[in-house]
Amino acid sequence: SSRLKNVKESDKLPLVSGALRAFFAVGLLALGVSLGVRLAEHQPLDPRGSTRQLVEGAQSANGPVSEAVRRSLAIADPLARVASLAGLLAVVPPSAKDQVVDAFEAYFLESYEVEQVLLVEWWAQFDPAAAFAWTRESHKARHPRIVMTAVEAWARQDPHAALAEVFKLPELGKMQEAGQVALVAGWDDSGKPGVIDYLIAFPRGTLRQAMIDGLVRRRLLRDGFDATVTWAEGIPENATGEFKQRLWRRVVKMSSRIDFEMAA
């Protein structure tokens, strides 16, 4: 009888799970309708921006992915345009890279635009070296914001390879400084060792201070005060140039901006 009871109970499980799925499906549908209504209520009568324009003499799309990316870039509302583009790039395979670049080359985009950031972030996931090279070759991408995106994404995967290229960046326009700051951020995110040794050996100055500030700020906001203190305590006392003491000053200063009493 116990076996029969277990069988009967197990027979109910598909019904229960099916009911749960139906419940959640209805809930998600209701949520989607609610969000749609709210968005419609606040949708501006006129687009918040203007559509991206095809460049003079732009060639036809070289494939279906290029067509899809072009349609996203042609959306007038900047928020809807970025949402469409981000959703598209999230599912586009690396093999379609030439089609994606083709679409971007066909439209007028300033070098600092967020669409360029999305392109580099997507590209760097599977070929960071090529994404970085594009920022140096294309006149549309020669901006510190885009270069920082490429360097940070590369450093998250291979900080030493990114480091070798960062020193090739021009100093004009603070491009190399931007690359250095992004390198340290990506290196820290990678979890690979060496970033502290790199900062210890780096010449003193405002650039090193900016890199340390960024590193400490990220640690405090991402990991919390206690974890940041533990991390700072782990730095050798005999680090050259009183590096540990200098780092501690940055920890206190950055902490005071977040929670003064905690820092005190």
Side-chain angles (χ1 to χ4, degrees), residues 31 34 69 84-85 119 138 180 196 220-221 225 242 252 256:
L31 177 61
S34 175
V69 174
S84 175
L85 183 62
L119 169 62
S138 174
Q180 291 282 0
I196 290 298
L220 285 168
L221 294 174
F225 180 77
E242 297 183 336
V252 173
S256 66

Side-chain angles (χ1 to χ4, degrees), residues 91-239:
V91 297
V92 169
S95 59
K97 185 265 296 181
D98 290 341
Q99 292 191 53
V100 174
V101 174
D102 170 79
F104 271 81
E105 293 295 338
Y107 275 81
F108 172 73
L109 291 163
E110 293 286 3
S111 60
Y112 52 80
E113 301 287 4
V114 67
E115 292 92 335
Q116 308 276 42
V117 173
L118 293 177
L119 169 62
V120 171
E121 280 284 7
W122 170 77
W123 195 344
Q125 290 178 17
F126 56 88
D127 195 347
F132 176 81
W134 180 76
T135 70
R136 312 311 315 130
E137 297 163 1
S138 174
H139 66 280
K140 295 182 177 183
R142 294 181 182 179
H143 189 277
R145 179 181 184 185
I146 311 303
V147 171
M148 289 180 75
T149 299
V151 171
E152 185 172 339
W154 196 355
R156 287 196 297 263
Q157 300 175 53
D158 190 343
H160 293 285
L163 172 61
E165 295 299 321
V166 162
F167 281 106
K168 299 177 184 178
L169 288 169
E171 296 183 8
L172 184 65
K174 297 188 180 297
M175 193 74 77
Q176 190 174 117
E177 291 186 10
Q180 291 282 0
V181 172
L183 170 73
V184 169
W187 197 338
D188 183 50
D189 277 350
S190 75
K192 297 177 181 179
V195 66
I196 290 298
D197 293 334
Y198 177 69
L199 289 171
I200 290 173
F202 202 89
R204 294 186 192 180
T206 56
L207 176 55
R208 186 174 82 157
Q209 181 173 308
M211 291 190 289
I212 294 173
D213 283 354
L215 181 61
V216 170
R217 182 174 60 251
R218 291 166 65 89
R219 288 268 175 173
L220 285 168
L221 294 174
R222 183 189 64 200
D223 304 333
F225 180 77
D226 291 340
T228 302
V229 168
T230 301
W231 164 73
E233 284 283 14
I235 295 173
E237 296 285 351
N238 60 353

Side-chain angles (χ1 to χ4, degrees), residues 39-49 76-78:
L39 287 172
E41 289 177 352
H42 298 284
Q43 187 72 19
L45 296 177
D46 298 317
R48 282 175 284 252
D77 187 300

Side-chain angles (χ1 to χ4, degrees), residues 247-262:
L247 179 72
W248 265 115
R249 285 198 284 270
R250 311 317 298 172
V251 171
V252 173
K253 181 177 180 179
M254 291 295 170
S255 298
S256 66
R257 296 176 179 177
I258 301 171
D259 187 330
F260 184 80
E261 293 183 359
M262 177 183 65

